[in-house]
C-alpha cells in the first residue's frame, strides 16, 4: 500500500509527503485494541446476537484485520529501513502480497459492512413492525457470508492484477455506488427524523425533541466521517487513471500516505460511532474491563477477601 508506484513519478515542485512509520504503528495498535474489544464484547454478550450487532461485529472484524495487516507491514518496513530485512527477497514479497490482499479485502469489507448497517437502520425506521420478520438472524448470516466471500475473492484478484486499469475502476465504482446508496438511505432517514421532530414539537406542551434531532445529527456525522476518510483515497485512484501527466494531479498524488492515514483513522473512529454509543455495549465493556461478570473474576476477588 505504500508502494512507490502509487506516488508521483515525474518531476514536479511538490515533494512527496512521507508519514513516519510510528504514526501508522500507533494507529494500527489503537484500532486493533478498539475493534478487538468490540468483537469480543459482541461474541460474549448473548443480548448482542442480533442482525445489527452482527453487522457491527463484521465491520470491527474487517477493521481488526486491516489494523493487524498494516501494523505488520509497518514493522516490516521499519526492519527493512534499518537493514534487518531484505525487501527484495521472494519470501518478503510473498508476505507483502498477502498483506496487501488482506488490506484490500478489509477495505472492501468495511464499505460493504457500512452499507449493511445503513440498510439495517433503514429497515428499523421504515419497517419497524416487520423488522424481525425482514431482518432475521439467518438472513443476516447469509448476507455476511456473501460479503466475506466477495471481499476475499476481490482482495486476491486486486493484488494479482493490481496494475490493470479495470481493477481501479472496479474499486472506484464500488465506492461510488455504495456512497450513493448510503447517501440515499441516510437522507431519507434524516428527513423522517426531522418530520417526526416537527410533529412532536407541534403537540401542546411538548418539549423540543432532542432525541430525534440527535439521531438525525448522528446519521449526518456517520456519513460525513465516512466521506472524509475514504474519498481522498479514491480520488487518488481516479487521478492515477485519468490524470497521469498533469503536475497538479501529481501534487495531489504526493499526499498518498496522508490519504492512508485518513483511511486508517476511520477504523479508529468506527468503534466510537457504532459501538460506544450503545448502552448495551458500554455495559459489556465495563464488565469486561473491570472483570465484574466472569466466574474466574469472582474467584480471584474471593482470594483477596
Amino acid at each position: 500500500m505504500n508502494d512507490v508506484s502509487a506516488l508521483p513519478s515525474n518531476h514536479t515542485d511538490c515533494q512527496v509527503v512521507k508519514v513516519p512509520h510510528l504514526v501508522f504503528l500507533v494507529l494500527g495498535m489503537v484500532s486493533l485494541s478498539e475493534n478487538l474489544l468490540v468483537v469480543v464484547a459482541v461474541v460474549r454478550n448473548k443480548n448482542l446476537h442480533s442482525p445489527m450487532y452482527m453487522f457491527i461485529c463484521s465491520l470491527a472484524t474487517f477493521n481488526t484485520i486491516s489494523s493487524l495487516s498494516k501494523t505488520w507491514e509497518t514493522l516490516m518496513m521499519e526492519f527493512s529501513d534499518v537493514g534487518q530485512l531484505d525487501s527484495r527477497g521472494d519470501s518478503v514479497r510473498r508476505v507483502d502480497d498477502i498483506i496487501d490482499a488482506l488490506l484490500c479485502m478489509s477495505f472492501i469489507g468495511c464499505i460493504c459492512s457500512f452499507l449493511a448497517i445503513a440498510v439495517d437502520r433503514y429497515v428499523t425506521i421504515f419497517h419497524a413492525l416487520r423488522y424481525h420478520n425482514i431482518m432475521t438472524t439467518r438472513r443476516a448470516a447469509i448476507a455476511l457470508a456473501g460479503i466475506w466471500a466477495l471481499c476475499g475473492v476481490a482482495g486476491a484478484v486486486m493484488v494479482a492484477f493490481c496494475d490493470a486499469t479495470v481493477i481501479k475502476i472496479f474499486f472506484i465504482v464500488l465506492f461510488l455506488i455504495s456512497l450513493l446508496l448510503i447517501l440515499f438511505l441516510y437522507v431519507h432517514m434524516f428527513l423522517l427524523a426531522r418530520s417526526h421532530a416537527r410533529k412532536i414539537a407541534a403537540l401542546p406542551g411538548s418539549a423540543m425533541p432532542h432525541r430525534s434531532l440527535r439521531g438525525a445529527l448522528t446519521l449526518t456525522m456517520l456519513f460525513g466521517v465516512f466521506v472524509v476518510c475514504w474519498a481522498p483515497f479514491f480520488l487518488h485512484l481516479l487521478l492515477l487513471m485519468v490524470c497521469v501527466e498533469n503536475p497538479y494531479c501529481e501534487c495531489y498524488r504526493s499526499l498518498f500516505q496522508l490519504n492512508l492515514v485518513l483511511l486508517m483513522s476511520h477504523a479508529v473512529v468506527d468503534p466510537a460511532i457504532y459501538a460506544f454509543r450503545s448502552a448495551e455495549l458500554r455495559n459489556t465493556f465495563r464488565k469486561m474491563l473491570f472483570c465484574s461478570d466472569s466466574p474466574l473474576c469472582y474467584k480471584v476477588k474471593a482470594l483477596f477477601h
Side-chain angles (χ1 to χ4, degrees):
M1 296 300 289
N2 285 326
D3 196 322
V4 292
S5 63
L7 301 175
S9 57
N10 296 334
H11 296 289
T12 64
D13 295 332
C14 301
Q15 298 295 322
V16 175
V17 177
K18 294 186 178 181
V19 177
H21 293 164
L22 181 61
V23 174
F24 288 111
L25 188 61
V26 170
L27 283 174
M29 295 302 295
V30 172
S31 172
L32 177 62
S33 302
E34 290 183 351
N35 287 284
L36 196 57
L37 185 64
V38 173
V39 173
V40 174
V42 173
V43 172
R44 286 189 57 182
N45 191 341
K46 293 183 179 180
N47 294 331
L48 300 178
H49 294 179
S50 63
M52 182 184 73
Y53 287 106
M54 290 171 64
F55 294 135
I56 290 177
C57 186
S58 173
L59 176 64
T61 304
F62 279 120
N63 284 334
T64 300
I65 294 174
S66 67
S67 301
L68 275 172
S69 303
K70 190 58 184 176
T71 300
W72 185 253
E73 184 184 53
T74 302
L75 290 174
M76 288 178 60
M77 294 174 64
E78 189 67 31
F79 284 126
S80 177
D81 289 347
V82 298
Q84 298 296 320
L85 186 67
D86 183 12
S87 60
R88 295 170 296 180
D90 292 337
S91 59
V92 174
R93 291 190 177 185
R94 284 195 292 268
V95 171
D96 187 61
D97 287 341
I98 294 173
I99 290 175
D100 287 343
L102 290 174
L103 285 171
C104 291
M105 181 194 75
S106 59
F107 289 157
I108 297 174
C110 287
I111 296 175
C112 294
S113 297
F114 189 86
L115 179 59
I117 292 172
V119 172
D120 179 82
R121 289 172 180 267
Y122 183 86
V123 174
T124 302
I125 292 177
F126 287 94
H127 304 281
L129 297 179
R130 299 173 53 216
Y131 173 79
H132 293 290
N133 293 328
I134 297 175
M135 197 66 70
T136 63
T137 302
R138 181 174 179 273
R139 288 178 179 175
I142 293 174
L144 287 175
I147 288 174
W148 279 85
L150 171 65
C151 295
V153 173
V157 170
M158 290 181 70
V159 172
F161 303 97
C162 58
D163 294 329
T165 302
V166 66
I167 295 298
K168 299 183 181 71
I169 294 176
F170 166 76
F171 214 169
I172 294 172
V173 170
L174 174 65
F175 173 73
L176 291 177
I177 292 176
S178 301
L179 190 67
L180 291 175
L181 286 175
I182 294 169
L183 177 62
F184 168 77
L185 294 174
Y186 278 179
V187 167
H188 202 181
M189 286 185 282
F190 182 89
L191 294 176
L192 178 66
R194 190 177 66 172
S195 175
H196 285 177
R198 288 179 176 177
K199 290 178 180 179
I200 295 174
L203 296 176
S206 63
M208 187 65 183
H210 293 292
R211 291 185 179 179
S212 298
L213 293 177
R214 183 185 177 187
L217 290 175
T218 300
L219 295 178
T220 305
M221 180 181 64
L222 291 172
F223 183 75
V225 170
F226 177 77
V227 172
V228 168
C229 292
W230 284 86
F233 176 76
F234 285 95
L235 178 59
H236 176 91
L237 292 182
L238 182 63
L239 294 181
L240 280 177
M241 295 186 300
V242 302
C243 189
V244 180
E245 302 294 338
N246 190 293
Y248 294 105
C249 295
E250 291 191 13
C251 282
Y252 179 81
R253 289 198 293 271
S254 68
L255 305 176
F256 177 69
Q257 291 196 5
L258 289 180
N259 295 338
L260 285 182
V261 170
L262 280 176
L263 212 58
M264 292 187 65
S265 298
H266 192 245
V268 176
V269 177
D270 273 342
I273 296 178
Y274 294 111
F276 293 106
R277 295 180 67 86
S278 166
E280 186 71 32
L281 267 175
R282 287 198 301 270
N283 291 334
T284 305
F285 294 148
R286 192 177 298 112
K287 292 177 181 179
M288 290 170 54
L289 295 176
F290 295 99
C291 198
S292 60
D293 66 339
S294 171
L296 178 61
C297 294
Y298 291 136
K299 292 179 181 179
V300 173
K301 291 179 180 178
L303 293 176
F304 294 94
H305 288 80

